[in-house]
Amino acid sequence: TFTVSDTLGYPDWGVEVNALPEPPDADYDYTWDFGQGDFGTGKDTLFTYKNPGVYLLGLILDDGNCQYALPDKQRVEVLP
């Protein structure tokens, strides 16, 4: 699972995302899909949405053997 600092904002608005791995001491590589063709890495990261729209933010985990895209995505809306 993961948390998102806020899901509604305006252009040039930064969103902080935090992964909550299970088990907590799991050793994963984290790839964040910010829903507009942009990606980020790291367990915790900050992303700035530049354009108005509705985006689905997702997380992909990699344990070194396989990648797993978490099924739950977070809806993020950037107002005009």
Side-chain angles (χ1 to χ4, degrees):
T1 63
F2 61 91
T3 62
V4 180
S5 61
D6 201 358
T7 58
L8 182 65
Y10 293 93
D12 296 321
W13 156 65
V15 174
E16 183 179 352
V17 291
N18 309 98
L20 304 170
E22 293 181 22
D25 61 345
D27 186 24
Y28 295 120
D29 287 331
Y30 303 88
T31 301
W32 297 94
D33 179 351
F34 293 104
Q36 59 180 27
D38 291 312
F39 294 87
T41 59
K43 183 177 176 188
D44 307 311
T45 193
L46 180 67
F47 180 76
T48 300
Y49 284 93
K50 300 283 186 190
N51 299 307
V54 175
Y55 306 97
L56 291 178
L57 188 153
L59 177 60
I60 301 164
L61 302 176
D62 186 333
D63 68 2
N65 294 314
C66 67
Q67 289 185 339
Y68 176 71
L70 296 182
D72 296 327
K73 298 199 182 297
Q74 179 67 55
R75 182 181 184 272
V76 174
E77 183 174 1
V78 181
L79 301 171

